[in-house]
Amino acid sequence: MKKLDDAGVLVARILMPILFIVAGWGKISGYAGTQQYMEAMGVPGFLLPLIILLELGGGLAILFGFLTRTTAIITAVFTILTALLFHSDFSQGPNSIMYMKNFSIAGGYLLLAIFGPGAYSIDRVLKKNW
């Protein structure tokens, strides 16, 4: 059963960060527009490089199982903050769905932080976070 559990965690680690990796890459290619949008929402534009690092770098870290627990906690907090800052105006279109989606994603990352990256991870090879 343990092998099946580890395979399941690997599949989850492959699926979970796709959104973040794509979003981080998109912020690089649309840097100026993203920075303007952030500032219009009251978030300082100088934070954009950190957000890109978290989304793209953190997404890749989760994908490969590197610093998994720490990255998962940071990503969960970031995702909740994003829901509160960018999706809490329910009078605008699909914000209520986006809000709930973010909380669901955060829940998944918290489970990953609690249970760890599984056997098929860099963390396991380095004997970190186990």
Side-chain angles (χ1 to χ4, degrees):
M1 192 64 169
K2 178 73 172 131
K3 292 273 188 212
L4 188 58
D5 290 350
D6 287 328
V9 173
L10 175 62
V11 171
R13 277 200 356 261
I14 291 168
L15 296 174
M16 289 175 69
I18 292 171
L19 173 70
F20 291 91
I21 293 167
V22 171
W25 185 256
K27 285 174 177 63
I28 292 170
S29 61
Y31 194 94
T34 302
Q35 192 173 36
Q36 287 175 341
Y37 177 69
M38 287 172 53
E39 289 171 351
M41 297 300 288
V43 178
F46 71 84
L47 294 175
L48 185 53
L50 294 175
I51 292 168
I52 292 169
L53 178 65
L54 174 63
E55 287 184 346
L56 185 58
L60 291 170
I62 294 293
L63 177 67
F64 293 109
F66 179 66
L67 299 174
T68 307
R69 288 184 164 153
T70 302
T71 305
I73 290 169
I74 293 168
T75 304
V77 170
F78 168 78
T79 305
I80 291 168
L81 288 174
T82 301
L84 296 172
L85 292 170
F86 293 96
H87 303 302
S88 59
D89 182 1
F90 300 146
S91 69
Q92 291 196 358
N95 269 348
S96 62
I97 295 295
M98 299 290 280
Y99 187 86
M100 291 183 285
K101 170 198 62 95
N102 279 31
F103 275 88
S104 296
I105 291 168
Y109 276 105
L110 289 175
L111 282 173
L112 189 59
I114 293 165
F115 290 103
Y120 310 116
S121 65
I122 293 173
D123 285 341
R124 176 63 177 213
V125 171
L126 299 176
K127 304 240 187 262
K128 289 186 179 178
N129 291 323
W130 253 139

